Amino acid sequence: MRTLFLSLFILLFSAANAQTISGIAKDDAGTPLNGATVALVKAKDTAVVKLAVAGGNGAYSFNGIKEGDYRISVTHVGYNSSLSSPFTLGTADVTAPALTIKKASGDLSNVVVSVRKQMIEVRADKTVLNVEGTINAAGSDALELLRKAPGVTVDKDENLAVNGKNGVQVYIDGRPTPLSGADLAAYLKSMQSSQVEAIEIITNPSAKYEAAGNAGIINIRLKKNKAYGTNGSVNAGYAVGFFPKYNGSLNLNHRNKGLNLYGTYSVLKGLNHNPIELYRTITDSVFDGKGYFRSDNLNHNVKVGADYSLNTKSSIGILFNGSISDPKVSNYNKTAIGYKPTGVVDRILVADNHSDLSRSNYNLNLNYNYTEANGKSLVLNVDNGFYDNNNDQYQPNFYYTADGRTLTRSVIYQMIAPTKIHINSGKLDYEQNFGGGKLGLGGKVSIVSTDNDFQRYDVLNGSNVLDRDRSNRFKYKENINAVYANWNKAYKGVMVQAGLRIENTINEGTSNGEKKEGATYQPWTSSFDRNYTSFFPSASVTFNKNPMNQFSFTYSRRIDRPAYQDLNPFEFKLDEYSFMKGNIDLRPQFTNSYGITNVYKYRLTTTLNYSHISDLFTQIPDITEVSKSVMTKRNLAEQDIVSLNVSYPFQYKAYSLFANISTNYSKYKANLEGRKIDLNAFGGTLYAQNSIRFAKTWTVELSGVYVAPSIFMGTFKSKGMGGVDLGLQKQILKGNGTIKLSGTDLFKTFRFSGSSDFGGQKLNVLARWESQQFKANFSWRFGSTTVKGAKQKTLSSDEENKRAQQQGGGIGIGNN
């Protein structure tokens, strides 16, 4: 943890004087260049310090610049780039030397654009985790990336929370996924880090986004090559923790003036080992369970797409992505059961479960884009998706005497549960200039249908006998119809955005089964249907008259609807003494959030947020049949959360640091059938990443994360946890190849532990995963890297390193 405290020390005591550089970009005829890209670079090595875009009169300015020697670089489509003469910035603002650029002859093959981003970017409405910008992310899956993302926590059941709030909506490339709980976790584990470009944690979405997600939205952006010509990349990785793991991917892209074809294939294979300990007391009994989960995974992911320009204003596109996996999961568990007053063990339960799973999904998107120079744009998306998840679980329960030698009885179950999810949606977004600002209008219609057929069998003398009392089929359909309006305008020193989204939700669920009455079984049906309309306003005001000290005020209202698994009233056994059950009466929860963000000198970003959640639903541990534990979701009443997020990037020559502190205070209040919950808790995360570049092609990275004690699900108190990662990177093959070596959780301190005391049941949990791993990764990029034109020469490692010496990352532009 010393690295974290050192990072904070540097964060708190780093400061610098800053001035303004301004100028005008013109062509050789004296015409102002509206939209030209202007780069402020160091005079010594042309390393980019900051970027700007020239306004309508060609004017540009750079604020918050330190004293030093600089030059100005200007580039524009159809023009040759140009570099100014050197000038010196002292303690006063300066006007940059006059600079004009000439029209290009048509050959743009010499223009080089290289991109380097800092690992984490903090903005007023979201935090962006640039996965490509870190060494220690290599070889991870998407869920492991989220464990280390600022403000994000993952509990023992792999549920996500942001800044202490549950109800996170996960998007893939801007499209919401219908999965939740264990299904979502399994899907994220199948997605390796080499597929991911960035993870966006959007805490204040505008009306354009769907209203679902009380804690906001986590959008996982997958890689998409934008270079012209034919190009691609190959990635291969190896990791070893308790067991070895392998991953690989191939990316291909071909782009010309009117057509872009792209595709990605990735594979991930390996064994995973997750130890767990559960100590539970109920009335007069004690259950002391120890065991581990072992999963054998083989995941295939594919993405194929095409974009075609119909003319200069419009284009069409098609995108297909899908995944196939067939994990085999075993849970080896031994529970000592004893009498609480004496502490004497009287029997031992051995429950070694095995599940054969198959998960496959595909999503097909058709899109149309139309854009005019006057600001009008129209985007149409039509999506079709299908998820097919199957679970065949064999669950033996063997009871032994206290010494574990003599088998006294056995109960064996087999559960087969196929689930199918169909998704159809259409979305339209329109924008135009209006009232001196930009007006956005749109709507979406989505229909999601799920079919879950749960079959439980008693295994008697080697034969399966259907337990008709405990089998059922649950069908659920959800139709959401939404319209929105969003308007934003920039005044002098103030930017205003306001929006309203209206969503009508129609859902219905039906559970069918059989119940024994006398000597015969009779069919039974339990159903519900709901139809409600909700309004979701959002607004933000940004005061930027002083660019060195900007303030933003935000507000939004959001909803989190129960997942279909949470509504199914049937019970799912984990073992003889614990099971999960849905709740047909579960209501959606609503959140009102208010936020203030300050950005000081473009670096220090501070956000204070308050949220009130009504009808909060969360998973509650309870008891039934005297000594059995049941987990079910209930509406808890309300929750209040105050969160504070502070981040700061720092760079000195080849050394760079990013530090982020995210804290929250939560208050839970509830009265469930006379059982009161009144809990207050502080929580938070601390993240720091240090990197240093040396010998031109080497980079060392040291990062650490600490998650403070907090409360999960309204009743579960977790202890603090954290870990430190160390990585080394070497660029080879003239900068086209990269080798990364890393060690994660070096001190093996990243684990989940906590306790709960509710409804007469006390729980203590300790859960681990393979957080400590050694990883090796190799990637190679080949083909064209031209962004506009042909015959592109890529940057050498030396050139790339020079252009990377900038404050907090950015875009380097130069000529060969």
Side-chain angles (χ1 to χ4, degrees), residues 171 206-212 427-429 442-446 480-486 499-504 533-538 557-558 561:
Y171 282 51
S206 70
K208 187 175 181 178
Y209 289 92
E210 295 184 26
K427 184 172 182 283
L428 184 147
D429 299 292
K444 181 176 182 179
V445 175
S446 67
I480 299 176
N481 306 291
V483 294
Y484 76 86
N486 196 69
L500 176 64
R501 187 178 186 93
I502 305 173
E503 292 189 352
N504 169 248
T533 300
S534 304
F535 294 80
F536 302 97
S538 62
R557 183 175 190 258
R558 302 191 62 75
R561 301 176 180 90

Side-chain angles (χ1 to χ4, degrees), residues 1 4-5 147-153 660-662 683-688 703-710 718-724 749-750:
M1 295 297 140
L4 301 180
F5 292 114
R147 288 187 192 275
K148 300 175 182 178
V152 178
T153 52
N660 176 270
I661 305 173
S662 178
T685 61
L686 172 62
Y687 178 86
S703 59
V705 62
Y706 175 72
V707 181
S710 186
S718 67
K719 296 181 180 179
M721 58 181 173
V724 175
T749 52
F750 216 165

